[in-house]
């Protein structure tokens, strides 16, 4: 009896070491892929009104910050929010083709999203919600915070704002000379030490 118990412990320890070895061999690209998939699943489920899909990739309590207001969601409150979004936006009444097109655009958003690892088990995803509507305004961005939970990436916080940020500064065009020949004062800049 002692031998069979000892064999089970050794076998279990061996499997645990094998799992740790396999986990350690995951590339950052594989983690990034899983983070993008979880973020896409959360966001697309939210906009399509799929509460169960959203709940499947969320870790509770889930913190939501919208326009500076902090809320904590339980599974019940998140389900209510997702259903409300679907009703308010009219997406539930969209045709299947229109929903597929929306999903394609959403997938592109998360393919282009910026991912930052805050550590081995926490990452943020910053994505474009809406580009500037006018020249004088900036993007509306969203951010999801994901944590590794039970080997899977789960959304634990979302941050959004309904108003655009400041516009990105316009950078000078460095491909055009500042003082092309034949224009301006014609003076040459002083050399060092003059």
């Amino acid at each position: 009896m002692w031998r069979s118990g000892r064999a089970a412990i050794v076998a279990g320890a061996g499997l645990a070491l094998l799992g740790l070895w396999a986990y350690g061999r995951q590339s950052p690209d594989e983690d990034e892929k899983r983070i993008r998939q979880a973020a896409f699943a959360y966001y697309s489920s939210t906009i399509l009104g799929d509460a169960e899909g959203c709940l499947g990739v969320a870790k509770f309590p889930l913190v939501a910050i919208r326009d500076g207001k902090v809320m904590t969601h339980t599974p019940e409150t998140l389900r209510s929010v997702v259903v409300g979004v679907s009703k308010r936006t009219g997406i539930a009444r969209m045709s299947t083709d229109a929903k597929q097109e929306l999903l394609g655009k959403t997938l592109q958003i998360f393919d282009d999203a910026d991912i930052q690892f805050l550590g081995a088990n926490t990452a943020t995803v910053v994505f474009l919600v809406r580009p500037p509507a006018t020249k004088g305004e900036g993007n509306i961005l969203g951010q999801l915070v994901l944590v590794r939970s039970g080997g899977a990436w789960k959304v634990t916080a979302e941050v959004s704002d309904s108003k655009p940020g400041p516009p990105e500064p316009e950078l000078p065009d460095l491909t055009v000379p500042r003082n092309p020949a034949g224009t301006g004062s014609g003076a040459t800049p002083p050399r060092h030490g003059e």
Side-chain angles (χ1 to χ4, degrees):
M1 182 167 147
W2 181 78
R3 285 184 195 214
S4 65
R6 184 174 179 191
I9 291 171
V10 169
L15 286 173
L17 288 174
L18 181 62
L20 284 173
W21 175 79
Y23 174 74
R25 293 187 47 92
Q26 281 184 346
S27 69
D29 291 340
E30 188 64 30
D31 266 339
E32 188 174 305
K33 178 181 171 187
R34 289 186 175 145
I35 290 166
R36 286 183 195 282
Q37 289 171 339
F40 170 75
Y42 178 85
Y43 193 72
S44 63
S45 294
T46 301
I47 61 176
L48 290 176
D50 177 9
E52 296 311 311
C54 192
L55 292 170
V57 290
K59 183 172 185 333
F60 296 97
L62 184 130
V63 176
I65 303 172
R66 177 140 175 96
D67 296 330
K69 182 180 175 189
V70 180
M71 298 161 279
T72 303
H73 292 308
T74 64
E76 295 76 28
T77 58
L78 183 59
R79 182 179 283 111
S80 174
V81 166
V82 170
V83 169
V85 166
S86 176
K87 286 179 181 176
R88 207 171 45 251
T89 61
I91 290 175
R93 296 181 302 275
M94 291 173 71
S95 70
T96 302
D97 289 343
K99 287 180 183 178
Q100 288 299 322
E101 183 179 339
L102 179 63
L103 283 176
K105 289 178 181 178
T106 304
L107 184 58
Q108 186 60 49
I109 287 169
F110 284 96
D111 281 347
D112 295 340
D114 181 42
I115 295 177
Q116 295 290 317
F117 287 90
L118 303 179
N121 296 310
T122 309
T124 63
V125 177
V126 177
F127 57 96
L128 179 66
V129 174
R130 193 188 74 190
T134 65
K135 184 176 169 99
E137 71 180 28
N139 295 321
I140 294 181
L141 301 175
Q143 181 179 39
L144 300 175
V145 179
L146 291 90
V147 294
R148 193 187 319 259
S149 177
W153 288 94
K154 304 270 188 169
V155 174
T156 192
E158 62 175 274
V159 183
S160 63
D161 201 307
S162 61
K163 296 191 178 172
E168 293 184 25
E170 289 190 33
L171 299 175
D173 184 358
L174 300 177
T175 61
V176 177
R178 283 181 43 190
N179 195 5
T183 63
S185 69
T188 58
R191 285 187 252 154
H192 181 56
E194 290 184 11

